[in-house]
Amino acid sequence: VSSEETPKKYQEPEISLEIPYLKDPELLGELKKRIEEFEKSGIQDRVLKGGDGYVPRIKKRDYIIAIIINLAITIYFLIAVLTGP
Amino acid sequence: MSEKVREDVYFNLLPTKFEERVWGFWDFLAVQICFGIAAWFFLVGGFTGLVLPAKLAIPVVIFGNQVPLFLMSLLSLFGARYGIEMFLSARPMFGPLGADAWIIIYITSSYGWIAYASFLFGEAAYKFSKILGLPWVISTEVPGAIIWAVIATFIGLYIAYKGPTILKWFMRISALFLMAVLLGLIYYILAIYGVEKIASLPPPAPYMKDNQIDWPHNIASALEWNVGLGFSWAFWYGQYTRLARSESGAYHGTLWGWGILAGIAGVFSALTALIVGSFDPTDWIVALGTIELALIGLLLMAIANITSVAALVYPMSITLRSRLPRVKWKWAVLITSLPAIILENPLTFASYNVYLTYIALLTGIFAGILTGDYLLTRGGYYLRDIYNYKGGRYWYFKGVNPAGAIAAIVATGFYLWTWDPLLGVSHNGLFDKISAGIPTFFVAMFLYIILSKALKLR
């Protein structure tokens, strides 16, 4: 039997994580695995430098659309209040 | 990955990876429209229509709900970027113990939302039962509306129990129905009464001062109720946006779905309040007197409010399990929904405007501090330390971020100084000029930024 065919025993990643309320070893193991993946795949460094997280990052045009529409709503509100009932 | 762990991605504390994200922009929009169109918008619109004419009520409803959502729109990005729910996202700003305190505030204050959604359905259902001549036990406000409200709570919690995939399909269908019926009813109101007549109707129950309508106070009060609802979404982002396939989808889906699109329900009920003189939109449905319209109204209230109960219970349960992972999903759903039944009564129902001002206070502060931190960090956090309950870089001083705690306390003081919801007075006299919720958001945000820099925490 080659080593590739031997079922691999699950190994918990060696990262420090103190979560006293999380007692389930399988869930804790999966959480550690995901955090390690997040760090080793470069996502952690990327988000600290303003890049994508798990999903594509928001773009400037998204903010611009939001600003324009909300500005229009604010002007509408101000006109209504300033001209009175 | 075992079945248990796979399941826990959608029902517990694990960060959701890209391939596990199930919701795109349209799903978000549908879910947030369904979540938004419910008792909270119908009632806030109703209260607004009691104190303001249509010319002011419509812009106040739209501005009061949309602009707070815009101010805190960065909150939608935490969940999408890191795959985590809202109160894990709040740990860098408040520390793990501070964030736990917010979880308690979130869950206990949210029983009110479930109660309002369920009870508004109860109001519609008992009135419809009365039209049909059904037995008194279900066709009177007490106990009829309460019984119907409890039924709505149970149906809503069952949908939430089934999880996000069922929720998504249920919401996609319901959102289209809700938008169509609401637009249809607004058209019907305008056609029957005429734009000019509605525009000329005076508000039926405005605040008075020296026998004159106190316009500044009416505008500030109505604005505050709407701002309270606008900011209230601050607690609800992450539980949904952790399922988003892009930050852009999470951002726009929540911004417009909870804002201007769901706000149509508020505009509708503001107009009905002006016509009928009651904050409860179900009174208008009955006043029309036809069985067909009453049935459409009942369906609207049923779908709008029951889907919203489900949309409340699901994220509340996610948050509860993220902190108490040993609690089974079934129990989490029951714990986060059943206590609301105590509040499902006419007295709580009529106090909605007071409830909204307290919500404006709590969520405005929460949103201001999280927004302040995002501006400082550009949303860059250490995932490991977000989860690290003790000893990580977000542990700060005995588990509490002093900048977040001080900013929250001072902003609370500022809000209560400007507007005391219990006494209904402004101690500094500023309420009628600036209202309270939006200024409090800025006080919390700027104070947090200054303190974080001064204490060298960022």
Side-chain angles (χ1 to χ4, degrees):
Chain A
V1 180
S2 73
S3 62
E4 281 183 5
E5 288 167 327
T6 312
K8 284 180 184 167
K9 193 184 167 192
Y10 175 73
Q11 286 191 329
E12 196 175 280
E14 292 298 320
I15 67 163
S16 70
L17 198 61
E18 202 178 333
I19 311 176
Y21 56 83
L22 184 54
K23 307 286 185 198
D24 182 334
E26 196 185 0
L27 196 55
L28 182 62
E30 180 63 25
L31 177 59
K32 286 182 175 179
K33 200 169 122 189
R34 283 174 185 239
I35 293 172
E36 195 178 51
E37 229 175 78
F38 189 81
E39 291 171 341
K40 289 195 171 165
S41 63
I43 305 177
Q44 179 64 78
D45 287 337
R46 218 163 54 208
V47 289
L48 291 174
K49 289 172 187 158
D52 294 348
Y54 274 124
V55 295
R57 197 178 177 94
I58 191 161
K59 303 280 187 300
K60 266 189 190 153
R61 67 165 184 270
D62 295 309
Y63 294 129
I64 292 167
I65 293 167
I67 288 168
I68 290 170
I69 297 174
N70 280 279
L71 200 61
I73 289 169
T74 304
I75 292 167
Y76 168 47
F77 168 76
L78 288 174
I79 290 171
V81 170
L82 293 174
T83 55
Chain B
M1 186 163 54
S2 73
E3 176 64 21
K4 188 179 108 184
V5 171
R6 191 199 61 77
E7 183 190 291
D8 273 325
V9 171
Y10 298 115
F11 298 93
N12 207 320
L13 83 175
L14 292 175
T16 43
K17 296 195 277 191
F18 179 74
E19 58 271 25
E20 292 159 348
R21 306 297 180 97
V22 289
W23 286 359
F25 168 72
W26 292 107
D27 296 314
F28 260 98
L29 204 61
V31 168
Q32 306 324 341
I33 287 172
C34 280
F35 194 3
I37 297 178
W40 26 92
F41 263 112
F42 288 121
L43 294 177
V44 82
F47 274 102
T48 305
L50 284 187
V51 299
L52 293 177
K55 181 181 176 273
L56 282 169
I58 295 169
V60 163
V61 168
I62 293 172
F63 174 87
N65 285 282
Q66 185 61 63
V67 170
L69 275 163
F70 169 64
L71 292 175
M72 64 176 184
S73 54
L74 295 172
L75 270 66
S76 62
L77 306 178
F78 296 104
R81 193 166 298 167
Y82 298 95
I84 55 176
E85 61 81 48
M86 202 67 239
F87 295 87
L88 275 169
S89 310
R91 283 187 176 174
M93 303 82 186
F94 296 104
L97 292 181
D100 284 354
W102 278 106
I103 291 177
I104 295 169
I105 291 169
Y106 161 61
I107 289 179
T108 50
S109 67
S110 299
Y111 289 136
W113 295 121
I114 298 173
Y116 284 114
S118 298
F119 201 78
L120 188 61
F121 166 72
E123 285 282 314
Y126 102 77
K127 284 166 192 167
F128 187 67
S129 305
K130 205 171 173 179
I131 293 172
L132 293 181
L134 296 177
W136 72 272
V137 74
I138 52 167
S139 59
T140 48
E141 190 170 39
V142 180
I146 297 170
I147 291 169
W148 287 113
V150 172
I151 291 169
T153 305
F154 273 97
I155 298 172
L157 75 86
Y158 179 72
I159 298 167
Y161 169 75
K162 301 301 282 181
T165 310
I166 297 291
L167 209 59
K168 180 176 82 174
W169 285 106
F170 202 79
M171 300 286 186
R172 273 185 182 178
I173 299 162
S174 303
L176 287 174
F177 172 79
L178 290 176
M179 292 300 290
V181 171
L182 264 176
L183 290 171
L185 285 175
I186 290 176
Y187 176 76
Y188 186 81
I189 290 175
L190 295 175
I192 285 210
Y193 295 93
V195 178
E196 275 182 32
K197 193 190 172 190
I198 292 173
S200 66
L201 284 172
Y207 295 107
M208 306 294 280
K209 192 177 175 185
D210 304 329
N211 288 327
Q212 299 274 320
I213 295 177
D214 185 356
W215 287 115
H217 189 65
N218 283 296
I219 294 170
S221 298
L223 182 62
E224 194 60 20
W225 305 329
N226 284 280
V227 164
L229 180 56
F231 276 134
S232 72
W233 304 109
F235 286 160
W236 304 91
Y237 282 101
Q239 298 88 325
Y240 285 110
T241 57
R242 69 194 282 271
L243 304 170
R245 291 194 207 109
S246 71
E247 288 187 11
S248 179
Y251 184 83
H252 289 294
T254 51
L255 183 58
W256 312 118
W258 282 334
I260 199 161
L261 293 175
I264 292 169
V267 171
F268 161 72
S269 56
L271 299 182
T272 63
L274 279 163
I275 294 164
V276 182
S278 164
F279 69 88
D280 180 350
T282 62
D283 285 339
W284 178 77
I285 291 162
V286 175
L288 282 172
T290 69
I291 293 276
E292 292 79 12
L293 266 174
L295 183 63
I296 291 170
L298 178 73
L299 263 176
L300 174 72
M301 292 298 154
I303 293 175
N305 289 299
I306 291 171
T307 51
S308 296
V309 170
L312 288 166
V313 175
Y314 173 72
M316 287 167 77
S317 308
I318 290 280
T319 298
L320 184 77
R321 286 196 88 204
S322 73
R323 183 61 186 81
L324 302 170
R326 273 183 293 180
V327 175
K328 289 193 186 308
W329 179 246
K330 177 176 73 181
W331 289 109
V333 167
L334 293 174
I335 290 167
T336 55
S337 57
L338 290 188
I341 290 172
I342 299 165
L343 300 171
E344 290 168 7
N345 59 67
L347 185 67
T348 311
F349 190 60
S351 310
Y352 183 60
N353 51 351
V354 179
Y355 175 73
L356 279 178
T357 49
Y358 279 108
I359 290 292
L361 159 66
L362 295 169
T363 51
I365 291 169
F366 182 80
I369 291 171
L370 263 69
T371 303
D373 203 73
Y374 189 98
L375 294 176
L376 287 172
T377 59
R378 293 179 69 208
Y381 300 99
Y382 292 89
L383 186 63
R384 181 196 305 216
D385 289 309
I386 285 175
Y387 277 99
N388 231 338
Y389 194 73
K390 279 188 173 176
R393 75 182 70 221
Y394 304 131
W395 178 250
Y396 305 108
F397 179 71
K398 296 190 175 178
V400 175
N401 180 343
I406 295 167
I409 292 166
V410 173
T412 302
F414 174 80
Y415 187 99
L416 295 174
W417 187 43
T418 306
W419 181 244
D420 186 334
L422 207 58
L423 299 175
V425 293
S426 175
H427 299 293
N428 58 14
L430 289 174
F431 180 70
D432 290 352
K433 297 178 182 74
I434 60 169
S435 76
I438 292 177
T440 302
F441 169 87
F442 284 112
V443 167
M445 185 178 83
F446 286 121
L447 191 58
Y448 177 83
I449 290 172
I450 293 164
L451 287 168
S452 296
K453 285 285 179 196
L455 298 171
K456 296 191 166 85
L457 298 170
R458 292 284 182 271

